[in-house]
């Protein structure tokens, strides 16, 4: 069994990258939610502004670049030195956050919305790099642990950015100043950490002719040539984001309308879910002897489904209040099993995809994930508007889809067991 060596994960080959991606995720969410909260509580005082339209527009503008530019980002990430690309993207982020300071000060809705789109574009370009560069600097038997830390940091950053954005936007007249200082400072620190990422030059010659349209064609043709197990792992990761997006979207409303919790209670539920995903990812990373245990996938999906059933039984009670402790345990179990599912899948994808094509495969995964989140949102709207379901039923349907995933894994995909030995 490979000896867990935390020094490797805290070394110069991992720590600068880890801090760079974590700071980027935090800044993405801090900026985006600062814009959303300021649109809601400050800029919306203008009677001519429809805040509901602006909020949905802001959410759409952030996700749209992942659909438009991810294939091109993956192509270029495989083509140039990935450490150099990270530094370029962090300087871009710093420039955008300086413009954000101007947008906050002027309270300019068009400028802020344009910056939401541009930050989404910067994030879409960083997405393939985020997972493609790790195997260049992390030994194969440490990838699971490294991915566990990256998964944990991603969800902590989402939570921290959401909370920080809300606090900054609630800071009264000083909100614009504080929001500007925070996002610019975090971006500046990211520039410094990116400079310390070791070089990762391209491993193969990649055509330089790859605009948005041609990169789509080339990358999807590349995907069709990949092993079935790799494509199946990608679909499972997208299922994780489908369920996770649905849950995160409905947590605040569920906390307020069903559990009778104040805003801090809703925040606590979000924190519990996010941290549980991180704990699940770290646990499977450290207990798997450095190998992606894909055989855990059916059990993890089934665990999400079982937690959803108990969650429904605990919440949809008649004649008495929902059991908060039991629901909290179900939320934690859902996050834990989700983390156990996704970390081995990302690790398998990193090791199974050819190193010279890894970024392009991950870029296509990011497109799938973005589409999964869009479908999750549209399906949720349809279930509530057309069928009039209640929130416990929503969680039952979304989480309970893990039963179908589990059956599909065992019936059609042989439990997602790779054909190549030791993969």
């Amino acid at each position: 069994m490979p000896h867990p060596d935390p020094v490797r994960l805290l070394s110069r080959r991992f720590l600068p990258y880890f801090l760079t991606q974590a700071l980027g995720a935090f800044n993405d969410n801090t900026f985006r939610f600062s814009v959303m909260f300021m649109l809601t509580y400050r800029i919306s005082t203008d009677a001519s502004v429809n805040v509901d339209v602006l909020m949905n527009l802001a959410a759409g503008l952030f996700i749209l670049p992942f659909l438009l530019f991810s294939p091109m980002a993956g192509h270029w990430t495989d083509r140039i030195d990935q450490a150099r690309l990270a530094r370029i993207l962090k300087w871009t982020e710093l420039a955008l956050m300086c413009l954000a300071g101007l947008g906050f000060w002027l309270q300019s809705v068009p400028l802020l919305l344009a910056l939401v789109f541009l930050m989404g574009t910067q994030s879409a370009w960083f997405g393939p790099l985020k997972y493609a560069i790790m195997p260049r600097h992390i030994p194969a038997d440490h990838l699971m642990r490294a991915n566990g830390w990256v998964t944990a940091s991603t969800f902590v950053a989402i939570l921290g950015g959401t909370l920080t954005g809300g606090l900054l936007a609630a800071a009264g007249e000083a909100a614009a100043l504080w929001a500007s200082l925070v996002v610019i400072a975090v971006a500046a620190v990211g520039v410094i950490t990116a400079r310390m990422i070791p070089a990762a030059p391209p491993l193969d010659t990649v055509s330089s002719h790859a605009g948005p349209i041609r990169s789509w064609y080339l990358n999807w043709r590349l995907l069709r040539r990949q092993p079935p197990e790799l494509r199946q792992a990608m679909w499972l990761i997208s299922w994780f984001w489908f369920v996770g997006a649905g849950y995160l979207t409905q947590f605040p409303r569920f906390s307020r309308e069903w559990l009778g919790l104040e805003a801090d209670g809703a925040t606590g539920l979000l924190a519990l879910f996010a941290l549980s995903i991180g704990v699940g990812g770290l646990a499977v990373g450290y207990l798997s002897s450095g190998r992606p245990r894909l055989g855990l996938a059916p059990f993890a999906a089934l665990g999400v489904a079982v937690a959803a059933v108990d969650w429904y039984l605990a919440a949809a009670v008649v004649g008495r209040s929902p059991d908060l402790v039991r629901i909290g345990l179900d939320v934690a179990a859902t996050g834990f099993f989700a983390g156990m599912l996704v970390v081995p899948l990302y690790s398998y994808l990193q090791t199974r995809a050819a190193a010279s094509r890894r970024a392009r495969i991950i870029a296509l995964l990011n497109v799938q994930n973005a589409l999964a989140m869009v479908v999750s949102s549209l399906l949720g709207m349809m279930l509530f508007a057309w069928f009039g379901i209640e929130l416990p039923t929503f969680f039952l349907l979304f989480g309970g889809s893990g039963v179908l995933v589990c059956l599909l894994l065992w019936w059609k995909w042989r439990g997602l067991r790779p054909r190549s030995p030791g993969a």
Side-chain angles (χ1 to χ4, degrees), residues 30 33-34 37 159-172 174-175 178-179 267:
T30 297
F33 283 100
S34 292
F37 278 108
L159 176 66
T162 305
L163 297 178
T164 305
L167 291 173
L168 291 174
W178 282 111
T267 300

Side-chain angles (χ1 to χ4, degrees), residues 286-309:
Y286 276 89
L287 297 177
S288 296
S289 303
R291 295 177 57 193
R293 304 288 183 177
L294 298 188
L296 291 174
F299 301 102
L302 186 61
V304 171
V306 171
V309 172

Side-chain angles (χ1 to χ4, degrees), residues 11 40 48 53 62 90 97 156 178 208 231 237 272 324 329 357 368-369 373 392 403:
S11 71
T40 301
S48 64
V53 172
F62 188 81
K90 298 310 290 185
M97 291 302 93
V156 169
W178 282 111
S208 62
R231 297 197 300 269
I237 294 172
L272 180 61
L324 295 181
L329 291 175
R357 304 179 181 92
Q368 280 189 189
N369 292 343
M373 289 186 279
V403 173

Side-chain angles (χ1 to χ4, degrees), residues 29-206:
N29 289 279
T30 297
F31 170 68
R32 185 158 52 102
F33 283 100
S34 292
V35 171
M36 289 185 170
F37 278 108
M38 291 186 76
L39 289 175
T40 301
Y41 294 106
R42 298 187 61 79
I43 300 176
S44 63
T45 55
D46 184 348
S48 64
V49 174
N50 188 323
V51 69
D52 291 328
V53 172
L54 290 180
M55 292 285 281
N56 284 283
L57 181 59
L61 286 173
F62 188 81
I63 203 71
L64 181 61
F66 287 87
L67 301 176
L68 296 177
F69 304 123
S70 285
M72 185 168 63
H75 183 98
W76 283 87
T77 301
D78 276 334
R79 184 176 179 268
I80 66 175
D81 187 299
Q82 293 171 359
R84 177 170 172 254
L85 178 60
R87 290 189 279 273
I88 292 172
L89 291 174
K90 298 310 290 185
W91 277 108
T92 302
E93 178 186 333
L94 180 58
L96 292 175
M97 291 302 93
C98 290
L99 288 175
L102 178 63
F104 284 134
W105 180 58
L106 297 175
Q107 294 196 1
S108 169
V109 173
L111 179 55
L112 289 174
L113 290 179
L115 288 169
V116 167
F117 177 81
L118 292 174
M119 275 299 289
T121 302
Q122 189 267 354
S123 298
W125 274 81
F126 194 86
L129 170 70
K130 178 176 179 177
Y131 285 101
I133 198 174
M134 288 176 63
R136 304 291 302 276
H137 301 312
I138 302 296
D141 60 346
H142 283 70
L143 266 181
M144 285 281 288
R145 289 186 281 276
N147 278 310
W149 281 107
V150 169
T151 298
S153 70
T154 296
F155 281 90
V156 169
I158 290 173
L159 176 66
T162 305
L163 297 178
T164 305
L167 291 173
L168 291 174
E173 296 299 325
L177 174 62
W178 282 111
S180 303
L181 291 176
V182 168
V183 295
I184 292 173
V186 172
V189 176
V191 168
I192 296 172
T193 59
R195 288 180 59 84
M196 295 184 284
I197 298 176
L203 299 175
D204 198 0
T205 302
V206 181

Side-chain angles (χ1 to χ4, degrees), residues 242-328:
F242 167 83
V243 175
Y247 275 36
L248 289 171
T249 301
Q250 299 301 329
F251 270 154
R253 184 174 158 227
F254 176 73
S255 301
R256 183 183 70 251
E257 297 180 6
W258 212 262
L259 303 181
L261 300 177
E262 299 296 333
D264 55 350
T267 300
L269 204 63
L270 284 166
L272 180 61
F273 184 63
L275 294 175
S276 297
I277 293 176
V279 170
L282 286 171
V284 75
Y286 276 89
L287 297 177
S288 296
S289 303
R291 295 177 57 193
R293 304 288 183 177
L294 298 188
L296 291 174
F299 301 102
L302 186 61
V304 171
V306 171
V309 172
D310 190 71
W311 186 341
Y312 173 81
L313 295 176
V317 291
V318 179
R320 62 185 179 88
S321 300
D323 189 337
L324 295 181
V325 174
R326 184 174 167 186
I327 291 173

